[in-house]
Short mmCIF file of all heavy atoms in Angstrom, two decimals:
data_model
loop_
_atom_site.label_atom_id
_atom_site.label_comp_id
_atom_site.label_asym_id
_atom_site.label_seq_id
_atom_site.Cartn_x
_atom_site.Cartn_y
_atom_site.Cartn_z
N PHE A 291 20.98 92.28 -17.77
CA PHE A 291 20.43 92.61 -19.19
C PHE A 291 19.68 93.98 -19.09
O PHE A 291 19.91 94.77 -19.96
CB PHE A 291 19.57 91.54 -19.61
CG PHE A 291 18.96 91.73 -20.94
CD1 PHE A 291 19.72 91.30 -22.14
CD2 PHE A 291 17.64 92.39 -21.12
CE1 PHE A 291 19.04 91.58 -23.37
CE2 PHE A 291 17.06 92.61 -22.38
CZ PHE A 291 17.90 92.28 -23.48
N GLU A 292 18.86 94.12 -18.04
CA GLU A 292 18.09 95.34 -17.97
C GLU A 292 18.90 96.55 -17.68
O GLU A 292 18.77 97.59 -18.26
CB GLU A 292 16.96 95.09 -16.81
CG GLU A 292 15.88 96.03 -16.96
CD GLU A 292 14.80 95.76 -15.94
OE1 GLU A 292 14.38 94.57 -15.83
OE2 GLU A 292 14.29 96.66 -15.26
N SER A 293 19.87 96.41 -16.77
CA SER A 293 20.77 97.49 -16.52
C SER A 293 21.61 97.84 -17.84
O SER A 293 21.79 99.09 -18.05
CB SER A 293 21.75 97.11 -15.43
OG SER A 293 21.09 96.93 -14.18
N ALA A 294 22.02 96.83 -18.54
CA ALA A 294 22.76 97.22 -19.75
C ALA A 294 21.91 97.96 -20.70
O ALA A 294 22.31 99.00 -21.26
CB ALA A 294 23.18 95.88 -20.41
N LEU A 295 20.62 97.59 -20.87
CA LEU A 295 19.64 98.24 -21.72
C LEU A 295 19.50 99.79 -21.28
O LEU A 295 19.39 100.64 -22.09
CB LEU A 295 18.27 97.46 -21.82
CG LEU A 295 17.30 97.88 -22.75
CD1 LEU A 295 17.81 97.82 -24.21
CD2 LEU A 295 16.08 97.00 -22.64
N ARG A 296 19.30 99.96 -20.02
CA ARG A 296 19.09 101.16 -19.44
C ARG A 296 20.36 102.04 -19.57
O ARG A 296 20.25 103.30 -19.37
CB ARG A 296 18.69 101.03 -17.92
CG ARG A 296 17.31 100.52 -17.79
CD ARG A 296 16.80 100.55 -16.28
NE ARG A 296 15.57 99.82 -16.09
CZ ARG A 296 14.43 100.36 -16.38
NH1 ARG A 296 14.32 101.63 -16.93
NH2 ARG A 296 13.33 99.67 -16.20
N SER A 297 21.55 101.39 -19.65
CA SER A 297 22.75 102.20 -19.69
C SER A 297 23.15 102.86 -21.01
O SER A 297 23.92 103.70 -21.13
CB SER A 297 24.05 101.32 -19.33
OG SER A 297 23.82 100.82 -18.02
N ILE A 298 22.45 102.26 -22.07
CA ILE A 298 22.84 102.74 -23.52
C ILE A 298 22.02 104.11 -23.82
O ILE A 298 20.88 104.27 -23.41
CB ILE A 298 22.78 101.80 -24.51
CG1 ILE A 298 21.35 101.13 -24.56
CG2 ILE A 298 23.77 100.71 -24.31
CD1 ILE A 298 21.16 100.12 -25.70
N ARG A 299 22.63 104.96 -24.54
CA ARG A 299 22.00 106.12 -25.19
C ARG A 299 20.99 105.77 -26.20
O ARG A 299 21.03 104.60 -26.77
CB ARG A 299 23.04 107.08 -25.76
CG ARG A 299 23.84 106.45 -26.96
CD ARG A 299 24.67 107.48 -27.68
NE ARG A 299 25.52 106.87 -28.59
CZ ARG A 299 25.08 106.36 -29.81
NH1 ARG A 299 23.81 106.42 -30.12
NH2 ARG A 299 26.03 105.82 -30.60
N PRO A 300 20.11 106.67 -26.52
CA PRO A 300 19.18 106.49 -27.66
C PRO A 300 20.12 106.18 -28.92
O PRO A 300 21.06 106.85 -29.17
CB PRO A 300 18.41 107.75 -27.86
CG PRO A 300 18.55 108.38 -26.40
CD PRO A 300 19.80 107.93 -25.87
N GLY A 301 19.70 105.14 -29.70
CA GLY A 301 20.65 104.76 -30.80
C GLY A 301 21.76 103.89 -30.40
O GLY A 301 22.57 103.40 -31.37
N GLY A 302 21.87 103.56 -29.22
CA GLY A 302 22.96 102.66 -28.74
C GLY A 302 22.68 101.27 -28.95
O GLY A 302 21.62 100.87 -29.37
N THR A 303 23.69 100.41 -28.66
CA THR A 303 23.61 98.97 -28.93
C THR A 303 23.87 98.23 -27.60
O THR A 303 24.80 98.53 -26.89
CB THR A 303 24.75 98.53 -29.93
OG1 THR A 303 24.50 99.26 -31.16
CG2 THR A 303 24.72 97.04 -30.22
N LEU A 304 22.95 97.24 -27.47
CA LEU A 304 23.22 96.30 -26.29
C LEU A 304 23.76 94.96 -26.97
O LEU A 304 23.06 94.32 -27.79
CB LEU A 304 21.83 95.99 -25.50
CG LEU A 304 21.99 95.14 -24.20
CD1 LEU A 304 20.61 95.07 -23.69
CD2 LEU A 304 22.67 93.92 -24.21
N SER A 305 24.96 94.65 -26.73
CA SER A 305 25.53 93.46 -27.28
C SER A 305 25.57 92.30 -26.14
O SER A 305 26.22 92.49 -25.12
CB SER A 305 26.96 93.75 -27.77
OG SER A 305 27.60 92.59 -28.14
#
Side-chain angles (χ1 to χ4, degrees):
F291 180 86
E292 198 173 315
S293 293
L295 190 58
R296 290 184 188 279
S297 295
I298 53 177
R299 60 167 171 75
T303 298
L304 193 178
S305 177

